[in-house]
Amino acid sequence: MLFVICLGLFAGLTGCSGKSKVLSEIQEYYEAAEYRETIAHCKHALRRDIRDADVYYYYGLALVQLGREYEAYQQLDKAVKIKPALARPAAETLLDTGREAFRKDNLIRAGRRVRAAVKLYPGLDLGNLVFV
């Protein structure tokens, strides 16, 4: 009986460390601007039933960086529903990428990203994009 309990604890601990490793790799790929790799790792994590808010968060952010807004917003919504504390950083990233699109005269993309940012975090300070 003790063996079964120990085996269960070991499986639980390695599962947690496996999840941590997956999340760490996803974050590393995102921070290295390897967005396609980030997406691939997020999809793999979801197939392995790792449905952590951070998986959806980095999945959404990577999709934004690749210009795949519609999919990105869905992933970011999932992340925020699981972990509301991600609303502000996700919104700030959307706002930053919206400003970048604005500077490149892509007003439609800028407007979509700013609206999505406000939807995620209504108290966001829009600065000079308040009228977009």
Side-chain angles (χ1 to χ4, degrees), residues 6-67:
C6 290
L7 187 61
L9 287 173
F10 178 74
L13 291 175
T14 58
C16 290
S17 87
K19 178 181 171 182
S20 295
K21 183 177 184 248
V22 168
L23 293 174
S24 176
E25 288 174 352
I26 288 170
Q27 183 178 1
E28 287 174 19
Y29 280 114
Y30 180 79
E31 290 173 356
E34 296 286 341
Y35 304 123
R36 292 185 197 293
E37 228 18 75
T38 303
I39 291 168
H41 277 71
C42 288
K43 286 180 177 181
H44 182 70
L46 293 171
R47 280 193 302 274
R48 290 179 52 200
D49 214 25
I50 299 173
R51 304 212 175 267
D52 190 272
D54 290 334
V55 172
Y56 293 112
Y57 175 73
Y58 285 109
Y59 192 3
L61 294 182
L63 288 166
V64 166
Q65 297 298 339
L66 295 176

Side-chain angles (χ1 to χ4, degrees), residues 60-76:
L61 294 182
L63 288 166
V64 166
Q65 297 298 339
L66 295 176
R68 295 167 54 184
E69 278 93 0
Y70 180 74
E71 298 167 90
Y73 304 152
Q74 291 175 332
Q75 300 306 321
L76 292 172

